[in-house]
Amino acid sequence: MNDVNAPDAHSPSRWSHWRGLGGWNFYFLLKFALLWFGYLNFHALTNLVFLAWLIFPLPSLRLHRLRQLISLPIGFALLWHDTWLPGWESLLSQGNQLAGFSPNYLLDLLNRFINWQMVGAMFVMLVIYLFVSQWIRITVLVSLLLLWLNIVNLAGPAFSLLPGSSTTPPVVLKTSTPAGAVPTALDDTAPPTSANLTAWLNRFYEHERQRNTHFPTTLPADSQPFDILVINVCSLAWSDIDYAQLRSHPLWKHFDILLNNFNGATGYSGPAGIRLLRASCGQTSHSDLYKPTQESCYLFDNLAKLGFKEQLMMDHTGVFGNYLQELRDFGDIQAPLMSQAGISPELTSFDGSPVFNDGQLMQRWLDDRLKSSEPRTATFYNLIPLHDGTRERGSTQTAPWTPRAQVLFDQLDTFLNNLEKSGRRVMVLVVPEHGAALKGDKMQMSGLRDIPSPDITHVPVGIKFVGMKAPHQEQALAVETPTSLLAISELVSRVVDGQVFNAPNINMSVLTQNLPQTPVVSENDNAVVIMYQGKPWIRLNGGDWVPYPN
């Protein structure tokens, strides 16, 4: 008697229904090409699982077609995951801000996002693939190459398929420090595995929680009144200055001190403003910026307790991204915004709002100080004419960055000259938020700052003492050790009694001696970049650490 459950000897085996990858071969070949040139954060095992899902034999042609349909969104999501593009969480969190962009700015970003040379190369690859696939089983080659990549990846979570190894980008912060300057807990001699890099970052934040600036409780009787003006410039990094060839501008000759290795620690304006206003404590993680902190962390609160009247000035409305409210809520600066009435709109921001003339605003600040009887003020001044997408009045096209920077530098130069002539005693600190990302790199296009790369966070910080009795040095004292926002607070605390303006001689080397040094750690919502063993490493969306591609 025949067994009814026995397989039919004439029916094909389930394992004979191998159909190959078909068009998915080009999908993987395209990824290999992008990986070769350093444009992917490739997840080898995930891609291997996806390949196995695509070629697993299915006897039913209907099931095979259904799998193809299901695979389309999966393949797109995996390709996005393999790129350096912002994660879905970041896009969702930035959704309201994207809605505030003007249509012309969105079109400009879209045009920059499309690399037409790369589109042309993809077309050539497609033609070659269609031609070669007539004679060669591409599925076998793709499968073997992906298997090989997984074997290579067993050595660690990060690898490079590039012809040469990843190197440090051309503009980086120096990491050499004097003996004993960096705590033993932050030693970076361990191999750069994901576990070691994560442990190092955790130790960094633990160490930073213990650091703060000590301000005096009261000023001495012989203290000298003066003003503090913090000029917080959006979209200005050393890489941008070099790109625009503006290092020789007269502006940089004004300063007494230049912090040449200063890390702004973020790529966005809101977090940058909060970090600066909380500069009196060590560096925190991005998420901790939006949590309560000690009262002693607020730089302007510390100055207010010593008799400095808080002032707030901007060349914009502060509405976009809820910027002004974030400064009040998380930076604890409650001073009313200085009036912009009568100030000419100079540019139009990326969201269509006016950007007021900074030369006029700075002159208004000086005129007010000359008229006021207030002995001490501390002013936070945020300005955005260099922000990406800013355009000339009446124009729909983004204005070139270099002419805008030239105008702003000229305005700052004129203001500092007028300040010198006025006789006011003022400590001026130019502290940029972050860079403009003029160059872009393999991780993100020009203007995008979702990943706080060294080119974006390595910003020029200049300090000028106007109205000193002591003669100024011919050249600014360059501080080359790695510093960040705590160094700003420390410098302010050292001169808060105003004696620097009354002394017959000032040694800037002594004034800047033993400034707090901070290893390079920069963080946005879903991206962390650190300098470890002299090279930048990046972690996206809480995943593994990989070398920052050059």
Side-chain angles (χ1 to χ4, degrees), residues 416-487:
L416 291 174
N417 284 328
N418 291 339
L419 199 55
E420 288 277 9
K421 296 173 185 176
S422 72
R424 292 292 308 177
R425 292 175 170 177
V426 185
M427 180 185 188
V428 181
L429 302 97
V430 175
V431 187
E433 297 176 349
H434 51 71
L438 290 182
K439 292 191 304 182
D441 56 29
K442 291 181 178 178
M443 297 194 69
Q444 50 191 359
M445 66 183 184
S446 172
L448 190 64
R449 292 172 279 105
D450 201 69
I451 296 170
S453 69
D455 274 353
I456 292 171
T457 63
H458 182 198
V459 297
V461 171
I463 296 96
K464 170 73 173 176
F465 296 99
V466 182
M468 290 195 307
K469 286 185 179 179
H472 293 278
Q473 301 172 128
E474 292 185 3
Q475 289 186 334
L477 174 71
V479 177
E480 302 293 349
T481 52
T483 55
S484 193
L485 295 149
L486 190 64

Side-chain angles (χ1 to χ4, degrees), residues 93-110:
S93 66
Q94 302 281 340
N96 292 334
Q97 296 194 22
L98 288 173
F101 290 174
S102 68
N104 290 316
Y105 183 45
L106 288 173
L107 286 175
D108 182 28
L109 290 175
L110 179 61

Side-chain angles (χ1 to χ4, degrees), residues 326-371:
E326 283 195 356
L327 294 190
R328 298 202 187 286
D329 292 345
F330 306 110
D332 199 28
I333 187 164
Q334 307 303 332
L337 181 61
M338 193 179 87
S339 173
Q340 298 162 339
I343 303 295
S344 303
E346 184 175 29
L347 299 163
T348 300
S349 182
F350 55 89
D351 64 341
S353 63
V355 179
F356 296 99
N357 186 294
D358 286 289
Q360 295 177 17
L361 279 168
M362 289 184 284
Q363 187 59 46
R364 172 171 289 183
W365 179 89
L366 178 56
D367 291 342
D368 287 349
R369 293 307 302 128
L370 292 174
K371 296 174 187 175

Side-chain angles (χ1 to χ4, degrees), residues 284-406:
T284 68
S285 66
H286 177 85
S287 60
D288 283 350
L289 292 176
Y290 301 94
K291 298 175 183 177
T293 189
Q294 304 172 53
E295 188 178 328
S296 60
C297 292
Y298 298 111
L299 173 60
F300 278 70
D301 279 1
N302 290 328
L303 293 170
K305 291 173 183 176
L306 296 174
F308 287 82
K309 180 184 177 183
E310 286 187 5
Q311 295 188 152
L312 177 62
M313 185 165 65
M314 296 179 184
D315 65 0
H316 56 103
T317 62
V319 173
F320 182 81
N322 213 23
Y323 176 78
L324 178 56
Q325 193 58 48
E326 283 195 356
L327 294 190
R328 298 202 187 286
D329 292 345
F330 306 110
D332 199 28
I333 187 164
Q334 307 303 332
L337 181 61
M338 193 179 87
S339 173
Q340 298 162 339
I343 303 295
S344 303
E346 184 175 29
L347 299 163
T348 300
S349 182
F350 55 89
D351 64 341
S353 63
V355 179
F356 296 99
N357 186 294
D358 286 289
Q360 295 177 17
L361 279 168
M362 289 184 284
Q363 187 59 46
R364 172 171 289 183
W365 179 89
L366 178 56
D367 291 342
D368 287 349
R369 293 307 302 128
L370 292 174
K371 296 174 187 175
S372 174
S373 59
E374 193 73 43
R376 296 176 176 85
T377 63
T379 304
F380 181 87
Y381 175 32
N382 181 258
L383 54 164
I384 64 166
L386 305 185
H387 195 289
D388 190 55
T390 302
R391 57 187 188 270
E392 300 289 343
R393 301 279 295 171
S395 173
T396 59
Q397 300 297 319
T398 297
W401 188 90
T402 301
R404 283 184 280 142
Q406 180 74 51

